[in-house]
Amino acid sequence: MTTPLTVGVEEEFLLLDPVTGENVPAGPAVLGALPAHLREHSRAEFRHSMIEMVTPVCTTLAEVGEHLGRHRRAAAEAAEEAGCRLVAAGATPVGEPRLTVSDNPRYRAIAAHYGPIVADPAVCGCHIHVGVPDRETAIQVGNHLRVWLPVVQALSVNSPFAAGADTGHASWRSMQLERWPTLGPPPRFAGKEDFDQMVGLLVGSGAMLDESLVLWHCRPSSTYPTVEVRVTDVCLTAEDTVLLTGLVRALVATALADLAAGLPAPDVPGTVLRAASWNAAHSGLDGTLLDPVALRPRPAWELVGNLLTAVTPALAQQGDLDAVETALDRLRAEGTGARRQRELFARTGSLPGVLTELAHRTRG
């Protein structure tokens, strides 16, 4: 087994009223109620009704799972102290009475620049970082990853409800984010100079407020020596997040091997990838997905099988193959977070009842 690539995970969570299910602006109170040793692994987020928990750098999926579980339990307890519930859902399920942004100069600047786009209710994602040698490598790895990101997105869908009703989409978060100008499938870049030139052009045009607003589904991190995959909804359970972490790390390891072998990245047009991403957000795994290489719709689980086949050597090398195969079997039996939410609603007929159960599953 080769030395595993390092990984780190950021999870964003909603804070909801236990009775109404509406978003509660309790972020500062929840962060303040966390145990002191976990505050360094927490962050205030764009909305007062959100918090983010961040793992340290890990080398095994078991480590990732331990940190995720510990952070979720502590954050859930802190939320209860603040009179609300911590819920892992990708989009605001009921409503957000207070739409002001957190008191942060950067967030205020974003709100001033983008105007009413910022008035959408809170959305929560999961960002997975995988360590790479340098920024140039991160960009080249991104070229190889981009064709697989819609499948990763479909595995993670966890936001079917908004404004108190089923939206008909598996990831309403993804649909909400469509209005942001620099969010979506990443372009294919020749290298670092090409990337920097594109970012400079987008900043100059006003589409990006500054260089930090590179919001593509995959990007070289602006903070760490990592590739950051940010296409996914926050997952309902820590086990789901661990599965995605294993697959993303294997995709990066596979890309690194392809780069070392001189294999080119698939040259798939951005328009095709955007269509595949929309399809993934709409249907999740409960239907067909657009195969961006074969250019035709295929059963979703066939594409998941293709993904697993492509990364199996890397999973074996990282020591993750058995864990990922078992987790995929579980996901196939239980369904995505979106399907589980809909099944809960079908049984209870009550969205507040669904949110109560989601809080239990978030905590673990």
Side-chain angles (χ1 to χ4, degrees):
M1 187 173 71
T2 60
T3 302
L5 300 176
T6 58
V7 289
V9 180
E10 303 164 351
E11 290 190 303
E12 297 166 343
F13 300 100
L14 292 173
L15 302 170
L16 304 184
D17 185 288
V19 177
T20 68
E22 289 186 330
N23 293 15
V24 178
V30 173
L31 294 175
L34 284 170
H37 69 282
L38 286 183
R39 287 179 199 155
E40 64 182 286
H41 297 293
S42 68
R43 295 176 188 157
E45 259 301 329
F46 192 74
R47 288 265 182 256
H48 298 277
S49 60
M50 300 168 61
I51 65 165
E52 182 177 64
M53 301 299 294
V54 182
T55 72
V57 177
C58 302
T59 56
T60 69
L61 293 188
E63 270 186 278
V64 173
E66 288 171 10
H67 288 296
L68 293 175
R70 187 178 305 120
H71 292 177
R72 282 174 173 238
R73 286 190 295 274
E77 290 170 5
E80 288 169 9
E81 285 186 39
C84 58
R85 284 180 176 149
L86 185 86
V87 172
T92 295
V94 176
E96 183 144 31
R98 181 178 174 182
L99 286 167
T100 55
V101 302
S102 297
D103 189 21
N104 174 297
R106 179 170 177 268
Y107 291 158
R108 290 198 299 271
I110 291 171
H113 186 75
Y114 290 102
I117 293 175
V118 175
D120 282 344
V123 295
C124 293
C126 171
H127 304 159
I128 299 168
H129 292 258
V130 183
V132 292
D134 50 51
R135 192 159 174 266
E136 176 67 34
T137 303
I139 291 165
Q140 297 296 341
V141 165
N143 288 340
H144 286 259
L145 258 57
R146 61 198 289 269
V147 71
W148 290 113
L149 294 179
V151 184
V152 174
Q153 183 179 14
L155 288 161
S156 79
V157 291
N158 186 38
S159 50
F161 294 105
D166 193 325
T167 64
H169 300 281
S171 174
W172 184 245
R173 166 185 167 272
S174 299
M175 300 300 174
Q176 258 187 248
L177 293 174
E178 283 282 321
R179 294 197 295 174
W180 289 83
T182 57
L183 199 149
R188 193 172 187 269
F189 295 104
K192 187 167 72 69
E193 289 184 6
D194 187 27
F195 182 94
D196 291 341
Q197 183 178 16
M198 175 63 75
V199 171
L201 176 65
L202 292 169
V203 171
S205 74
M208 282 184 189
L209 176 62
D210 55 45
E211 294 180 1
S212 70
L213 282 174
V214 176
L215 302 177
W216 291 309
H217 292 163
C218 175
R219 68 179 185 179
S221 171
S222 59
T223 308
Y224 310 110
T226 64
V227 174
E228 180 185 2
V229 171
R230 45 189 296 117
V231 69
T232 67
D233 285 0
V234 66
C235 293
L236 179 54
T237 67
E239 291 80 8
D240 291 344
T241 306
V242 171
L243 166 61
L244 290 175
T245 302
L247 288 171
V248 168
R249 176 162 69 171
L251 280 168
V252 173
T254 301
L256 289 171
D258 288 347
L259 287 168
L263 299 176
D267 190 8
V268 178
T271 303
V272 173
L273 287 180
R274 185 167 286 279
S277 177
W278 192 97
N279 185 192
H282 176 70
S283 302
L285 299 176
D286 294 327
T288 61
L289 293 176
L290 176 61
D291 184 331
V293 176
L295 298 179
R296 61 183 177 87
R298 295 175 56 198
W301 278 98
E302 279 190 13
L303 280 180
V304 174
N306 285 6
L307 169 60
L308 181 61
T309 298
V311 300
T312 286
L315 287 171
Q317 290 170 357
Q318 303 286 314
D320 296 338
L321 182 57
D322 288 345
V324 165
E325 286 183 331
T326 299
L328 278 173
D329 288 343
R330 176 187 54 78
L331 186 68
R332 186 160 195 165
E334 295 180 357
T336 61
R339 197 217 291 178
R340 279 173 262 170
Q341 289 195 44
R342 285 171 167 148
E343 288 176 349
L344 282 169
F345 185 77
R347 288 201 300 270
T348 65
S350 163
L351 188 53
V354 171
L355 299 178
T356 297
E357 179 60 27
L358 296 189
H360 292 316
R361 297 191 187 191
T362 298
R363 183 174 187 149

